[in-house]
Amino acid sequence: MYKPIEDNALSAYEINRSRIVRSLELIQDVIVISLCIGLFSFMAIQVRDMFLSLLPPLDFHVVTADILFLLILVELFRLLIIYLQEQRISIGVAVEVSIVSVLREIIVKGVLEISWSQVLATCAFLLVLSVLLVVRVWLPPTFEGIDPEQNISQRYKNRIVRD
């Protein structure tokens, strides 16, 4: 009826499973590295386009949109680097990218050209993201290693101790 699994079979299963997991993580790292290379190449193209947009006639909205778009790309690159180092997505960086992306769209379109319901929804979205960003500082890190919010939290704690 029930036959217990021998220790050799169990350890072979664990070795096989860990080898499969390591292989999948390696494939995932290769995908993320290729995303980093592609994103870096795209940033280089965007920098070239931004410098070309600085030539006369100068359009303020285009230059501003290009600069903000480059900042978004830099933050996405930082998010990928943190993922490679930690094997996790940093909530703080993801929220920062979202905030900058929303603000870029508002600046590019102009607040006066957006309907009041979209402005209200955008404000609510930014408020939720801001609360998430503030709350994230007090949450304990779930992984060892890089924690971008750790410096902010440490500065806040040092300021409280001094006061």
Side-chain angles (χ1 to χ4, degrees):
M1 290 184 207
Y2 175 71
K3 186 176 179 183
I5 299 176
E6 295 179 17
D7 287 338
N8 291 339
L10 186 60
S11 64
Y13 170 73
E14 288 176 7
I15 292 172
N16 237 358
R17 186 177 64 177
S18 66
R19 182 179 293 160
I20 291 171
V21 169
R22 280 195 313 265
S23 300
L24 290 174
E25 286 177 345
L26 179 66
I27 292 169
Q28 192 173 8
D29 286 347
V30 168
I31 291 171
V32 173
I33 289 169
S34 65
L35 283 173
C36 285
I37 292 169
L39 188 59
F40 190 79
S41 302
F42 187 65
M43 281 192 293
I45 293 169
Q46 281 300 119
V47 167
R48 182 185 63 93
D49 289 345
M50 184 186 72
F51 282 120
L52 290 176
S53 69
L54 290 173
L55 296 174
L58 188 64
D59 187 9
F60 175 73
H61 286 328
V62 173
V63 173
T64 305
D66 287 345
I67 291 171
L68 290 173
F69 188 59
L70 273 171
L71 290 175
I72 292 168
L73 293 177
V74 167
E75 289 297 316
L76 285 174
F77 190 77
R78 189 175 82 164
L79 187 67
L80 289 173
I81 296 299
I82 290 172
Y83 181 80
L84 280 175
Q85 291 175 339
E86 284 288 313
Q87 300 296 317
R88 71 179 180 97
I89 298 292
S90 171
I91 294 173
V93 176
V95 169
E96 289 170 4
V97 169
S98 301
I99 290 172
V100 173
S101 299
V102 169
L103 292 176
R104 177 194 180 270
E105 290 302 314
I106 290 173
I107 290 171
V108 169
K109 288 184 181 179
V111 176
L112 299 177
E113 297 176 14
I114 301 174
S115 68
W116 68 270
S117 60
Q118 285 181 324
V119 171
L120 192 61
T122 303
C123 289
F125 183 64
L126 287 173
L127 184 64
V128 168
L129 288 176
S130 301
V131 167
L132 182 61
L133 196 59
V134 169
V135 167
R136 174 63 184 112
V137 173
W138 287 290
L139 291 176
T142 54
F143 297 92
E144 293 180 15
I146 293 178
D147 186 17
E149 292 83 14
Q150 186 176 13
N151 292 337
I152 297 170
S153 178
Q154 189 62 38
R155 274 188 266 146
Y156 179 75
K157 288 177 185 175
N158 289 341
R159 190 178 325 142
I160 289 177
V161 169
R162 282 189 310 225
D163 295 340

